[in-house]
Amino acid sequence: MGIALKWQEEFPLFHKAYLMFYPLVMVYAPEAVQLVLSTKQKHLDKGKIYDTLLPMLGEGLITCKAAKWSRRRKLLTPAFHFNILETFFQVFQIRSNDFIEELKKGGITKQYKDICPFAKNLTLNIICETALGLPNEERKEQIEIVKAMQRLEEIAMYRCIYPWLLCDWVFKLTRAYRTHERKIHILNNFTDKVIKKRQEVLQTELELENDNTDGEKKNAILIDILLKLNSDGQSLRNEDIREEIKTFMFAGHNTTYLAISYCIYLLGRYPEVQKNAIEEVDTIFGDSKRDPTMDDLKQLKYLDRCIRDTLRLYPSVPVIGRRSSEDQPIGEYVIPKNSDVIIIPYIIHRNPKQFPDPERFNPDNFLPENVKGRHPYSYIPFSAGPRNCIGKRFADLVMLIAISWVLREFTIHSLHKQEDLKVLPKTILEPVHGLQVKLTPRR
């Protein structure tokens, strides 16, 4: 990331770079980013760097080509409507309470620990319950699936680091390919089993539907919504559903756990910011142990700004790629057709013209008077334009609930300096040595 920051200083708009023999266009200026991301009819394909994820995710929302993405996005958008998310609210609350209890049990108040595994367990449990309808007793298998996905992600990154492995016939000669195929088999078997199980559950519920006279409202489950689309003849096959299940699991828990972890870490590094956030939380909840309501979350304006500035400094997705569908003029220059365009939010978000003192954690960056006049594409943690993240609202709710509970229960002390924090830009922005914190009970 340090090299890319220097490139931004030298080339304020964009420049050409090479991944070994493969040319890339690195875009830095928000004006140029807007031209690449904002138009519905142009530059919607993701580019070569996403091809290594295709064996793992299939052609889900993250990886599919423009024509397929447009149809799929229209079908899936209703599954993330706010009315659907409200039915997840109880799950968010229950799992956040479990998260707090795990932090207490883990001895984290006596010695410092990496907060990341705790947050990861939280978001994995939430995704498995809301997306797949899997109960707690099946968590062991889910953990194995996540390990398989992590190994597949490592192999995908390995192929990008050694670009000759992007040639499939070369990759198939390696030991990594055999590991890759084993993990793909495990992952596909798991998703097929989940689909079959939910189909059976839905069939049973349909048969009993006429006997249900109490009018009880059931929680939505994302896979059930997809299966119902399939049964309604809306062009979703089981193979399509399998792709989206894997995409939900991969993107949904990884990005959210990182945002929660980085925010907790930064609050521990900046005591004044933490003090302000605790005062806001205490004003709303006092000493009560009640779960937050949707109205409570709307009042957490300062904490919301803390989360936004966390995602500015440490965006969960460090790289966005696009393939230019036609020549794209940018000022006096042109990005040629069929170029792979690379956008790095980690760099975009550190533009001192847009964010003064860009390395400092400062929630006031997102006060209305400071947002006004700032370029809209200078802050893109969930991407931007038509291919932005479909799960943004989902992630926002989980982050607000989980972090507000941490502030209600603990004082946070982060035990390494921000300048010593090393991050690794994989498909997610991973802290190399974790995020070491100590949580002291407030009561």
Side-chain angles (χ1 to χ4, degrees):
M1 287 299 186
I3 294 174
L5 280 167
K6 291 178 181 177
W7 284 343
Q8 183 195 38
E9 294 174 4
E10 189 173 352
F11 307 101
L13 272 177
F14 66 90
H15 76 102
K16 184 166 73 172
Y18 283 90
L19 183 65
M20 291 295 286
F21 49 80
Y22 198 80
L24 304 170
V25 179
M26 316 288 286
V27 175
Y28 302 114
E31 299 81 6
V33 172
Q34 182 174 18
L35 289 171
V36 173
L37 295 183
S38 66
T39 309
K40 287 186 178 180
Q41 286 77 32
K42 295 195 300 184
H43 318 317
L44 288 176
D45 284 340
K46 285 294 192 79
K48 187 72 174 176
I49 62 170
Y50 290 82
D51 288 354
T52 56
L53 294 175
L54 280 170
M56 174 170 63
L57 300 182
E59 294 186 8
L61 273 184
I62 291 178
T63 50
C64 62
K65 299 295 184 183
K68 184 174 182 177
W69 170 83
S70 183
R71 295 191 303 270
R72 187 74 60 86
R73 178 78 181 226
K74 287 178 182 176
L75 285 173
L76 294 181
T77 295
F80 290 87
H81 189 275
F82 200 74
N83 291 340
I84 299 293
L85 296 183
E86 281 189 310
T87 71
F88 299 155
F89 205 71
Q90 185 179 14
V91 175
F92 296 165
Q93 292 172 335
I94 293 170
R95 297 306 156 216
S96 295
N97 289 332
D98 292 345
F99 171 56
I100 296 299
E101 291 306 311
E102 285 299 313
L103 290 176
K104 292 176 179 177
K105 281 189 223 173
I108 203 165
T109 59
K110 296 179 181 177
Q111 58 182 343
Y112 70 85
K113 287 185 180 292
D114 181 8
I115 193 67
C116 293
F118 294 92
K120 189 168 190 174
N121 192 48
L122 162 69
T123 58
L124 176 61
N125 287 343
I126 286 174
I127 285 292
C128 286
E129 198 158 343
T130 58
L132 309 182
L134 295 175
N136 279 333
E137 54 267 22
E138 297 184 23
R139 291 294 187 263
K140 186 175 180 181
E141 185 177 11
Q142 293 157 27
I143 291 170
E144 291 304 311
I145 297 306
V146 169
K147 288 181 179 177
M149 297 184 90
Q150 288 174 338
R151 186 70 185 106
L152 288 167
E153 181 194 4
E154 289 168 1
I155 293 172
M157 294 303 300
Y158 177 70
R159 294 180 71 185
C160 290
I161 293 170
Y162 301 100
W164 53 88
L165 296 179
L166 294 175
C167 298
D168 288 339
W169 70 268
V170 176
F171 177 53
K172 287 179 180 179
L173 300 175
T174 66
R175 183 183 300 174
Y177 173 75
R178 294 189 288 276
T179 301
H180 180 271
E181 292 303 289
R182 286 197 305 272
K183 300 301 182 183
I184 290 290
H185 182 70
I186 292 169
L187 186 57
N188 287 342
N189 281 348
F190 170 76
T191 50
D192 288 343
K193 186 171 77 172
V194 170
I195 290 171
K196 183 179 179 181
K197 180 177 179 178
R198 293 310 305 176
Q199 285 173 327
E200 292 170 354
V201 169
L202 285 176
Q203 182 60 38
T204 301
E205 289 177 354
L206 183 62
E207 292 169 357
L208 297 175
E209 194 174 65
N210 293 333
D211 298 328
N212 182 14
T213 57
D214 57 11
E216 181 182 353
K217 186 179 179 181
K218 296 178 56 180
N219 289 343
I221 297 172
L222 290 175
I223 187 175
D224 291 356
I225 295 170
L226 301 185
L227 288 168
K228 287 173 182 176
L229 286 172
N230 191 13
S231 64
D232 290 342
Q234 296 193 47
S235 303
L236 270 185
R237 304 163 299 162
N238 278 9
E239 182 182 345
D240 301 323
I241 294 169
R242 183 169 75 179
E243 292 170 345
E244 297 307 337
I245 288 173
K246 292 188 288 187
T247 299
F248 290 159
M249 287 194 68
F250 176 72
H253 90 278
N254 265 342
T255 54
T256 311
Y257 100 77
L258 277 175
I260 291 170
S261 301
Y262 281 121
C263 189
I264 291 171
Y265 165 78
L266 287 169
L267 287 167
R269 285 304 313 159
Y270 291 78
E272 283 302 312
V273 175
Q274 182 179 173
K275 179 184 174 184
N276 292 338
I278 286 175
E279 286 177 358
E280 179 181 69
V281 166
D282 285 352
T283 299
I284 296 169
F285 300 104
D287 291 332
S288 75
K289 294 288 187 179
R290 69 176 179 84
D291 287 321
T293 65
M294 197 68 78
D295 286 338
D296 292 330
L297 299 189
K298 291 175 183 176
Q299 295 180 60
L300 292 171
K301 297 185 183 300
Y302 187 78
L303 181 55
D304 179 66
R305 296 202 301 271
C306 291
I307 292 170
R308 291 191 193 190
D309 209 51
T310 296
L311 288 168
R312 179 186 68 80
L313 283 166
Y314 301 106
S316 298
V317 177
V319 175
I320 298 169
R322 291 288 188 273
R323 171 66 62 87
S324 57
S325 58
E326 59 185 64
D327 287 355
Q328 176 60 64
I330 299 179
E332 60 184 293
Y333 306 100
V334 175
I335 295 177
K337 181 179 178 179
N338 292 328
S339 298
D340 263 24
V341 181
I342 302 298
I343 297 163
I344 307 178
Y346 184 93
I347 306 301
I348 306 295
H349 295 175
R350 282 168 164 75
N351 186 333
K353 294 179 181 178
Q354 305 291 333
F355 298 97
D357 196 4
E359 293 294 336
R360 182 167 71 94
F361 179 47
N362 180 16
D364 288 351
N365 280 323
F366 293 92
L367 284 169
E369 58 268 29
N370 292 332
V371 172
K372 186 179 180 181
R374 183 183 297 148
H375 196 284
Y377 282 74
S378 63
Y379 178 71
I380 50 171
F382 292 95
S383 188
R387 282 200 83 154
N388 66 346
C389 175
I390 196 172
K392 179 185 182 302
R393 284 181 174 178
F394 184 104
D396 285 342
L397 291 175
V398 173
M399 291 186 288
L400 279 170
I401 293 173
I403 298 167
S404 66
W405 264 118
V406 171
L407 291 169
R408 290 166 71 179
E409 294 288 335
F410 303 107
T411 301
I412 309 164
H413 307 270
S414 298
L415 299 172
H416 50 89
K417 297 178 181 178
Q418 192 176 344
E419 54 266 32
D420 295 332
L421 176 56
K422 306 297 182 187
V423 294
L424 183 63
K426 299 163 61 177
T427 55
I428 53 174
L429 191 68
E430 190 174 282
V432 175
H433 303 297
L435 296 167
Q436 310 296 329
V437 300
K438 180 178 178 181
L439 304 181
T440 305
R442 294 183 56 209
R443 303 178 182 90

